Amino acid sequence: MIKGENTTGTALLLAAAPTGKSRLINATGVLPTLAAVPPSTLTGTPAGTIVELADPMDQQTVLTRVRAAAATPGPLSLLVTGQLQLDARQHRLHLALARSTPATLRYTGLPWDWLVGELKPRRPDSTRVIVDLVAAPDAWPEISAYGLTLGPGIALHGRVAPSPARNRPAAEPSYLQAVATLWRSGLNPPPGELHARAAAQAGHDGALLLSVDGVRAPVAMAHAAMAQAAMASATTAPAALAPAALAPAAPAEDPLPAILSLAHVGRHGEAAAHAVQWERWAVRTHGAGSVEAVHWLEVRADLAHLSGDARTSCELWMAAADARLALHEAPDSAGVQAAVDRAHHQWQQLRDPDRASELGPRLASLRGRVPGRRPGATEAVRRRLEFLRTGALTAGE
């Protein structure tokens, strides 16, 4: 049950995927089962209004429906199934719609940040979102590393799976199908238990599970291989990994060794997801820009490096350097210099001229403030940027 003063809630069912060969999930396949669920179960209220969007084609139409649902005063349930893709130009995450193609995604898909923006003004503890999504190959590395969020105050449960292998049939929304089947049978367990049961029934296909309470600190994300453990503990994660619920003090056990252990055995997505949760805990507990939050930002940068994601590591190290400077650390302090040096190193590993060119000006600006102890570092950034502009990128620059 979603808390709220109104006895009438709203449920928006959004099933979207491109038509033709680019379809990765049979998104609308779950709608008949959901249609048999009582509206009061879908909304979590005695009475409910149901809005269904099946394979919509226009992003503005979807945005209008989402905006209208988000504006309702009562509790809101949003059930989303479909596929996520990154647009090639801006690298923004989109929910692909019926007419979406990789080339037209910016204009034919629904940007995920639009959804975040529409839900942001809602009163905390009045919104729940259940997702069953497939990530296209271009989007999966980012989602696997950093998860999927909707902002504070939004309860989010579900899963995101990697796309099926080439020449395999489109995936089925088995997680949401399991949720709908449980509801249809008359069962309506608490959100954490519902999520654990659905995750276990959906199977182990390398998916990333999402369980964010919306008010308390989020449950750590885990791959589907951990679903059976989730059944046993319902809404908790291992003590060494799960953030305490808005705890005012540091955790009794340092979670970093366990997170690094995951990374060192190749479970990079899980390690990064846990670090994201701890960073959010630090922000809520100690404040944005706090020393504790910067610590976890730097952990994420290291984890990106360990996973071979030089671009993300570079971006995070630059963000860490900016955060340290904002804390009034001196440009020649060890922490600031280390962050900029590591960002510089990761930038040098980029062999994609477009990505290197995109990040280069920001790094050059940082180097202007933090030249570091290595002679010529600032000039080296400028020189490589010039090579990039002239198309003369050479290995090792």
Side-chain angles (χ1 to χ4, degrees):
M1 181 74 71
I2 304 175
K3 297 178 183 178
E5 298 175 0
N6 293 48
T7 58
T8 300
T10 300
L12 174 59
L13 316 181
L14 174 55
T19 57
K21 295 181 179 179
S22 58
R23 174 170 292 211
L24 301 176
I25 183 172
N26 178 26
T28 57
V30 71
L31 292 179
T33 309
L34 284 172
V37 176
S40 59
T41 302
L42 289 172
T43 62
T45 56
T49 299
I50 311 300
V51 179
E52 181 180 296
L53 290 175
D55 277 337
M57 293 188 293
D58 179 66
Q59 63 177 200
Q60 292 298 327
T61 298
V62 178
L63 178 62
T64 299
R65 294 294 183 88
V66 170
R67 182 170 293 166
T72 58
L76 171 64
S77 295
L78 178 59
L79 283 67
V80 184
T81 180
Q83 68 190 60
L84 298 173
Q85 298 177 210
L86 286 181
D87 79 84
R89 184 170 180 180
Q90 296 180 328
H91 303 284
R92 292 171 70 193
L93 195 63
H94 288 67
L95 179 70
L97 303 181
R99 294 188 299 183
S100 296
T101 66
T104 65
L105 187 64
R106 291 174 61 200
Y107 313 105
T108 59
L110 180 73
W112 191 257
D113 53 25
W114 286 11
L115 185 60
V116 174
E118 294 303 323
L119 297 180
K120 184 177 180 179
R122 289 189 55 81
R123 181 167 50 83
D125 205 21
S126 68
T127 309
R128 69 175 174 183
V129 180
I130 301 177
V131 301
D132 193 346
L133 302 163
V134 168
D138 58 354
W140 175 247
E142 180 171 324
I143 293 172
S144 179
Y146 302 115
L148 191 69
T149 60
L150 287 168
I154 308 297
L156 171 64
H157 294 90
R159 73 170 194 165
V160 184
S163 61
R166 190 169 294 184
N167 299 324
R168 295 289 299 273
E172 295 296 328
S174 54
Y175 173 91
L176 197 51
Q177 187 74 45
V179 169
T181 300
L182 286 166
W183 279 341
R184 189 177 179 183
S185 70
L187 297 175
N188 191 10
E193 182 182 344
L194 178 68
H195 166 70
R197 289 192 180 201
Q201 291 182 27
H204 313 309
D205 56 1
L208 190 69
L209 303 182
L210 308 170
S211 185
V212 180
D213 181 280
V215 178
R216 294 180 288 107
V219 176
M221 285 179 275
H223 283 278
M226 299 172 68
Q228 293 297 338
M231 280 289 290
S233 58
T235 60
T236 59
L241 292 175
L246 295 177
E253 182 179 353
D254 183 4
L256 185 55
I259 291 173
L260 291 177
S261 294
L262 289 173
H264 286 304
V265 298
R267 294 162 66 179
H268 299 293
E270 290 176 65
H274 287 304
V276 168
Q277 304 310 308
W278 276 105
E279 183 183 4
R280 292 177 185 150
W281 171 85
V283 168
R284 282 194 294 266
T285 305
H286 302 284
S290 63
V291 172
E292 292 81 2
V294 174
H295 162 72
W296 285 106
L297 183 62
E298 292 181 339
V299 169
R300 289 175 54 207
D302 261 338
L303 292 173
H305 162 63
L306 291 173
S307 71
D309 187 351
R311 175 190 174 186
T312 298
S313 184
C314 176
E315 290 178 321
L316 291 173
W317 278 120
M318 288 193 291
D322 286 335
R324 285 183 173 274
L325 290 168
L327 287 170
H328 304 293
E329 293 189 28
D332 62 351
S333 67
V336 174
Q337 288 193 347
V340 178
D341 286 347
R342 290 170 181 173
H344 191 164
H345 174 74
Q346 293 299 305
W347 183 66
Q348 287 179 309
Q349 309 310 306
L350 295 173
R351 290 294 170 261
D352 183 329
D354 292 336
R355 291 185 175 182
S357 297
E358 178 185 352
L359 296 180
R362 183 179 171 193
L363 178 62
S365 176
L366 260 178
R367 270 299 184 208
R369 302 166 65 190
V370 187
R373 294 185 174 88
R374 178 185 172 188
T378 303
E379 182 56 32
V381 176
R382 294 172 181 165
R383 187 168 62 250
R384 189 183 187 214
L385 274 174
E386 183 60 30
F387 282 138
L388 291 168
R389 292 191 192 98
T390 60
L393 180 66
T394 57
E397 283 292 329

